[in-house]
Amino acid sequence: MQRLLTQDRAIRGVRYRDPDGWHEVRAALTVTAGGRFSRVRKLAGLPHNPNRLIDQIECRPRVDRIRLEGCLGGLEPRERVVVTMTFAEDRTAEEISEALSLTAGNVRVIRHRALARLRSCVEGGEA
Amino acid sequence: MTTCRVSFETLARWWLDDLPEAESAALEEHLFACDTCSAASERLGDLVSGLRAWIPPVISHAHRDRLAREGKRIRLTPVDAGADAGARFDRDLDLLVHVLRGDLSRAARVDLEIGRPGMGWRVVLEHVPFDRKAGEVLIACQRHYRDMFPGDPVFKVIVVEQGERRPLGEYLVIHEWM
């Protein structure tokens, strides 16, 4: 990926190069919530700031807030603490591990299990 | 449809900026080329966006300041243990923040129980954020709580000091919903 395609001041896709030459892909683009290493974010000139980035790309949550709240209530206490520290307090796995006297690896495991349960719950399954 | 070959954990770490740079860049390139993984990532992204917009029942002082900077209309209500406080949720407000006050100077950790006797619900929150110096725990009361948690809640703050749990006090806030 080398460049972004822009039209009407909006990003419409990417231009990339491979051994066969230049190509274009027109598609809606997603930058990760933080995008610290995201090439798209860098090409678009967006700063690295997870919370501000959401505002700048006008990303509106597509999960139901009340349902999400209910799903969060179904997590184990430790999962809920890790999710809260991760998203509401924007703490890294290392910072959380220090606060909870766990290893960063443990925090990551708890975190991704919690996310898997939340995804299943908000999409209609059980927490 | 084929199965996404990127693990859920890897996608989660990517969304959280928790992958090494080279791995992150390689995954981003892969997502451009793989419809299956891209769709899986987008589903997770919806959840992550929802969680980033979520305001938990107890917030840190930094989170409160961030919400204020973002333009959220907040009313602060100081509450002391054992003394009832009143808080009115006017229509032009986004958030009530109840400031539970007490001596947290030696607290290593603070837990919180929220409930209303006789109403059939009780929530226990561990490791909630607090300001040791100010001696404050901030409750972020939101409009949708009116239906989720009926009745005026009692907040019971428990402080963990040198491994011992100590009740700091019980706080009652009488809500008026406009």
Side-chain angles (χ1 to χ4, degrees):
Chain A
M1 182 199 333
Q2 303 290 330
R3 295 178 193 154
L4 298 181
L5 298 174
T6 58
Q7 186 177 7
D8 300 329
R9 301 182 67 192
I11 298 169
R12 304 295 186 192
V14 295
R15 180 172 286 125
Y16 68 97
R17 186 169 54 186
D18 67 10
D20 297 327
W22 284 93
H23 309 276
E24 289 183 0
V25 175
R26 291 183 176 268
L29 298 184
T30 299
V31 178
T32 69
R36 182 161 42 125
F37 301 125
S38 172
R39 187 159 171 74
V40 174
R41 179 188 65 74
K42 290 172 184 168
L43 287 169
L46 295 170
H48 170 242
N49 182 322
N51 294 306
R52 284 186 58 204
L53 195 57
I54 284 174
D55 292 340
Q56 285 171 337
I57 61 176
E58 295 186 0
C59 175
R60 296 287 175 262
R62 283 183 278 185
V63 297
D64 181 81
R65 185 173 66 164
I66 305 297
R67 179 157 188 86
L68 178 59
E69 195 94 43
C71 293
L72 285 158
L75 294 179
E76 298 295 325
R78 184 172 280 186
E79 291 176 337
R80 190 183 166 97
V81 170
V82 168
V83 166
T84 302
M85 287 181 171
T86 300
F87 294 98
E89 299 172 28
D90 204 22
R91 295 207 219 179
T92 64
E94 284 74 18
E95 290 166 341
I96 296 170
S97 71
E98 195 172 320
L100 301 182
S101 301
L102 298 169
T103 66
N106 278 341
V107 169
R108 291 188 177 98
V109 169
I110 294 167
R111 189 178 64 192
H112 95 256
R113 281 183 184 160
L115 284 172
R117 292 181 68 187
L118 287 172
R119 187 184 63 172
S120 168
C121 179
V122 297
E123 291 180 356
E126 293 300 318
Chain B
M1 183 181 246
T2 55
T3 305
C4 177
R5 71 169 172 82
V6 178
S7 73
F8 182 81
E9 183 179 5
T10 301
L11 279 180
R13 290 187 64 185
W14 184 67
W15 273 99
L16 293 167
D17 266 352
D18 194 27
L19 280 181
E21 182 166 6
E23 208 175 327
S24 177
L27 177 57
E28 189 172 273
E29 293 284 347
H30 173 70
L31 292 176
F32 273 106
C34 175
D35 289 344
T36 306
C37 293
S38 178
S41 174
E42 193 171 334
R43 285 170 60 210
L44 180 56
D46 287 345
L47 174 63
V48 167
S49 298
L51 287 167
R52 289 211 178 274
W54 169 61
I55 302 173
V58 186
I59 58 174
S60 64
H61 286 61
H63 195 174
R64 178 201 60 191
D65 295 344
R66 172 157 55 88
L67 292 169
R69 279 198 304 275
E70 290 169 0
K72 288 278 190 294
R73 294 156 300 181
I74 300 170
R75 174 175 290 159
L76 300 173
T77 304
V79 191
D80 292 311
D84 300 355
R88 195 167 90 161
F89 212 137
D90 284 315
R91 289 184 184 280
D92 62 346
L93 289 176
D94 296 306
L95 199 64
L96 293 178
V97 172
H98 310 324
V99 184
L100 311 187
R101 302 192 294 200
D103 179 10
L104 301 171
S105 57
R106 290 182 299 153
R109 158 185 164 182
V110 173
D111 295 342
L112 182 73
E113 292 178 21
I114 313 173
R116 180 65 190 164
M119 296 300 286
W121 62 271
R122 179 172 168 269
V123 177
V124 178
L125 302 171
E126 299 177 353
H127 286 278
V128 298
F130 64 98
D131 187 311
R132 186 176 291 111
K133 192 174 175 186
E136 294 176 346
V137 175
L138 304 181
I139 307 295
C141 177
Q142 297 158 70
R143 194 169 286 282
H144 62 279
Y145 287 1
R146 179 183 188 176
D147 298 323
M148 288 180 72
F149 308 113
D152 292 308
V154 176
F155 304 97
K156 185 176 178 183
V157 178
I158 298 111
V159 179
V160 180
E161 297 171 343
Q162 297 176 329
E164 299 289 323
R165 292 174 65 82
R166 172 176 71 86
L168 182 68
E170 295 193 2
Y171 302 76
L172 173 63
V173 180
I174 309 295
H175 290 74
E176 188 180 358
W177 303 90
M178 306 306 290

